[in-house]
Amino acid sequence: MRTPRSLASRGALLAAALVLGLAAPAGAAIRSLWIVHTTDFHGAVLGGAKDRASNRPIGGSAVLAAHVNRVRAEYPGAVLLLDGGDAFQGTAISNLVRGRSVVDVMNAMGYDAMAVGNHEFDWGLDTLFARMLQARFPFLSANIYERAVGERASWVKPYAIIERAGVKIGVIGITTPSAAYTTLPGNVAHLEFRDPTDIVNAIVPEVRAAGAEIVVVLAHEGGQQRRDGSVEGPIAAIAKGAAGVDGVFGGHSHTWVSGRVGGRPVIISSSNGRALGVMRLDWDDAAKMVVGAEPTVETAFADSIAPDSNVAAVVAEYEKAIGPAMARVVATAAKNLERGSPEQPLGILIADVIRRAAGTDFAMQNPGGVRTDIAAGPITVAKVYELMPFDNLILKYSLSGGQVKRILEDGLAYGRAMQISGLKFTYEPGRPEGNRITSLVLASGAPLDTTDTYTLATNDFLAGGGDGMETLKSIADYTNTNELVRDEILAWFEEETAAGRPIVPPEPGRIKEEEAK
Amino acid sequence: MITVYVDGHAVELDPSMTVRHAVLRHDREAYERCADGLSVVVDEAGHEVDPEGAVFDGMQLFVTEPAG
């Protein structure tokens, strides 16, 4: 029975023997393999980021590829390249082509396998399947089950066995169980994400029986490392509980982990192409086991290496293609759509979009989150990104009328008149805090009943307490739709265009500031 | 709800939220400094943690000035 303790002690003995120049047992040969790991790439195809600690440039897929090439050149034939998932969502150059650019980059880099992350479901299963078909490497997850039949999802491989330097490595994919609520819930409602440790323990014998000599877990699941080197979080639970596994790779938390749990090496390689993990595994041919391991994570500095020209060429093609995509006209503004104060035509328009998307009684948008005016005329995709550069999500609440009033008062106390949909209010700034609203009515003009229950949608910035939203922040009961405000604006603009309607400012008069009477 | 610690202070958080939400719930000014690039979120060992990273129960985060 292999245990981390026996692995560690045997590895230590062999390592000591090598260091001391002692002869290895007759016939024994140690072959080292290097597993290079990236995770949570989030569409970071382009470079331009900086490492805040050193102020040096980092990342970009061509730079990342160059670092991988460097490891491959150093250890020819002995390197495996894995990704921990959440590869696509996050940048215009990826989002606008639904992750196609990222898979082309990953194909060019020669990835061997990738775990399915929660954000792989963001654009629905059809898009995920398209990316899987495009990829020249398998997507892996062993813990995705079809809820209706209770069977493992047939469309994704639970594991892959890849040979390097004459050793067969079994790679088991795991998707975070939090995928049930960290992507669009409707996209995964028919799926069940089972406990990673239970699944790994159940499948390791199958992977070994299929010929794997080394077994690693490629999980889209998070954790972090403490100053004393210990590893915590869900990835540590997997590493601790999964028997018969030689190494564990994590992700999801965008953290930096290169440590051990119970002797097992564990890596999480940051995110967004900022770093790459390298796990060395020493395979003992005679003992038929891993006898040593070293997990490291290194920053993908861009000023110490020449970018990979093949990957750079792929990126350049997408940069050229993305120009027209960003310039695509999605709607026409009949008039100027401006921000203004206290009522922003554009702010209440966005509140209307949020309310429509969420299907709630009311919606609320922070005025500071509306980042540009829109001039009359064509509205491009780029303009919508400029208008709403943040990846703000839409959340839904069920609130009393009294809570709704307090929320709007909180905004006024912070100096912000929240942009609203489904409501109208008048306020006097000079009145005492908490009592500035002098009139609050429904869109119909009927008064808001402070004891009735209403639904309200807003963005996650306000939900987190942004712009003084103390009342909203204290309400823990809400639904995260995982819908981006920006995507809903784009979708609504396109629907209006398809219907032959230009975009017009909403009827004014929802927010009125009055002088003290 | 889960508990995330920001600069040692417990922050109750929906597990679907991210690092930036944890910082925002703890200290709005710190959040704004991070958004402006004046501060950075790091782990206990000083490694930068991306604001869009997932949180988990017991996670320890710190807001500090970038060294560079």
Side-chain angles (χ1 to χ4, degrees):
Chain A
M1 176 95 180
R2 76 178 55 217
T3 65
R5 183 183 292 270
S6 67
L7 283 178
S9 53
R10 185 175 168 82
L13 284 173
L14 279 166
L18 291 170
V19 168
L20 295 169
L22 301 176
I30 308 294
R31 277 183 281 176
S32 292
L33 303 165
W34 282 264
I35 302 180
V36 178
H37 175 254
T38 58
T39 190
D40 293 86
F41 191 63
H42 285 286
V45 167
L46 302 172
K50 279 204 168 178
D51 173 49
R52 303 276 205 99
S54 63
N55 213 26
R56 292 171 63 186
I58 51 170
S61 50
V63 167
L64 199 60
H67 282 281
V68 173
N69 294 345
R70 172 177 51 79
V71 181
R72 282 179 172 142
E74 200 168 346
Y75 310 109
V79 175
L80 207 66
L81 178 58
L82 305 177
D83 185 82
D86 274 12
F88 313 134
Q89 172 274 334
T91 61
I93 198 170
S94 177
N95 291 5
L96 289 173
V97 291
R98 294 289 191 251
R100 190 156 46 84
S101 51
V102 174
V103 172
D104 275 349
V105 161
M106 293 177 81
N107 283 339
M109 288 175 69
Y111 273 84
D112 292 295
M114 169 184 151
V116 175
N118 51 304
H119 285 296
E120 262 66 70
F121 296 97
D122 284 2
W123 299 315
L125 279 186
D126 287 351
T127 301
L128 175 55
F129 293 166
R131 295 293 77 82
M132 291 170 77
L133 285 171
Q134 180 195 351
R136 295 201 291 266
F137 51 88
F139 285 42
L140 305 177
S141 183
N143 66 324
I144 301 178
Y145 279 66
E146 301 284 352
R147 193 177 289 283
V149 292
E151 290 177 2
R152 181 175 287 138
S154 59
W155 47 266
V156 60
K157 289 183 179 179
Y159 63 88
I161 297 178
I162 302 154
E163 189 169 330
R164 284 291 183 283
V167 182
K168 289 179 178 160
I169 306 124
V171 182
I172 301 171
I174 287 291
T175 303
T176 173
S178 74
Y181 52 83
T182 51
T183 183
L184 295 179
N187 289 349
V188 293
H190 64 296
L191 300 174
E192 188 186 340
F193 301 90
R194 294 197 175 170
D195 180 80
T197 306
D198 290 349
I199 292 294
V200 171
N201 280 325
I203 205 168
V204 164
E206 181 185 331
V207 179
R208 296 257 179 215
E213 296 167 293
I214 292 174
V215 176
V216 298
V217 174
L218 179 63
H220 189 79
E221 186 58 289
Q224 71 174 171
Q225 193 161 14
R226 304 297 298 270
R227 193 179 289 120
D228 64 6
S230 61
V231 181
E232 294 179 340
I235 200 68
I238 296 172
K240 188 177 178 187
V245 164
D246 299 299
V248 175
F249 297 89
H252 193 44
S253 50
H254 298 200
T255 43
W256 179 296
V257 172
S258 57
R260 293 173 195 272
V261 174
R264 283 198 181 96
V266 179
I267 279 178
I268 300 180
S269 310
S270 186
S271 66
N272 304 82
R274 295 163 168 272
L276 66 161
V278 182
M279 186 182 290
R280 193 199 75 229
L281 295 172
D282 301 327
W283 174 252
D284 184 333
D285 272 336
K288 297 291 179 194
M289 63 193 295
V290 172
V291 294
E294 189 61 41
T296 57
V297 178
E298 57 180 90
T299 304
F301 286 117
D303 57 359
S304 61
I305 200 161
D308 178 88
S309 56
N310 289 331
V311 171
V314 173
V315 174
E317 283 299 309
Y318 275 100
E319 279 189 286
K320 262 193 284 180
I322 218 70
M326 291 296 273
R328 186 169 64 87
V329 173
V330 288
T332 303
K335 296 179 179 176
N336 287 344
L337 297 164
E338 293 166 343
R339 285 171 285 180
S341 178
E343 179 175 290
Q344 300 181 337
L346 205 41
I348 59 175
L349 183 146
I350 291 170
D352 284 348
V353 170
I354 294 171
R355 181 176 161 218
R356 173 183 169 277
T360 48
D361 298 318
F362 313 133
M364 183 171 76
Q365 163 69 31
N366 52 308
V370 184
R371 307 300 287 185
T372 186
D373 298 327
I374 293 180
I379 304 171
T380 62
V381 172
K383 193 67 183 175
V384 177
Y385 270 78
E386 192 183 340
L387 171 71
M388 190 61 56
F390 314 108
D391 284 347
N392 283 143
L393 299 166
I394 298 173
L395 310 183
K396 294 200 286 188
Y397 291 82
S398 187
L399 305 168
S400 71
Q403 285 176 307
V404 172
K405 183 170 183 292
R406 278 203 298 280
I407 286 164
L408 295 176
E409 287 281 7
D410 284 348
L412 294 172
Y414 193 71
R416 302 276 196 279
M418 288 298 131
Q419 305 300 299
I420 44 157
S421 177
L423 287 166
K424 296 178 183 177
F425 71 95
T426 304
Y427 67 99
E428 287 180 21
R431 288 167 63 101
E433 188 173 316
N435 286 294
R436 292 185 171 123
I437 293 176
T438 54
S439 163
L440 178 57
V441 299
L442 308 181
S444 63
L448 181 86
D449 187 329
T450 55
T451 60
D452 262 7
T453 301
Y454 301 93
T455 53
L456 176 138
T458 190
N459 63 47
D460 55 346
F461 170 75
L462 292 176
D467 279 3
M469 288 288 119
E470 295 301 325
T471 301
L472 202 59
K473 178 180 166 181
S474 70
I475 300 169
D477 190 15
Y478 57 80
T479 302
N480 183 353
T481 69
N482 279 292
E483 299 273 8
L484 289 174
V485 175
R486 182 178 58 238
D487 286 354
E488 293 303 326
I489 295 170
L490 276 168
W492 182 71
F493 280 179
E494 291 189 299
E495 282 178 34
E496 290 296 287
T497 301
R501 291 190 291 265
I503 305 301
V504 295
E507 191 68 28
R510 295 184 199 177
I511 306 165
K512 287 181 185 164
E513 182 180 310
E514 287 184 339
E515 295 297 320
K517 289 171 184 161
Chain B
M1 298 295 274
I2 58 171
T3 305
V4 173
Y5 297 89
V6 184
D7 291 335
H9 299 277
V11 177
E12 298 292 314
L13 209 60
D14 169 352
S16 74
M17 296 288 104
T18 63
V19 167
R20 71 183 161 100
H21 297 110
V23 175
L24 175 60
R25 279 186 175 259
H26 165 57
D27 181 346
R28 190 172 55 237
E29 286 181 10
Y31 171 87
E32 286 169 2
R33 284 200 309 276
C34 291
D36 292 341
L38 303 174
S39 294
V40 61
V41 184
V42 298
D43 64 12
E44 199 179 64
H47 292 118
E48 189 172 340
V49 181
D50 181 70
E52 298 305 326
V55 289
F56 57 86
D57 199 30
M59 193 176 196
Q60 303 271 348
L61 300 167
F62 303 87
V63 180
T64 185
E65 305 308 307

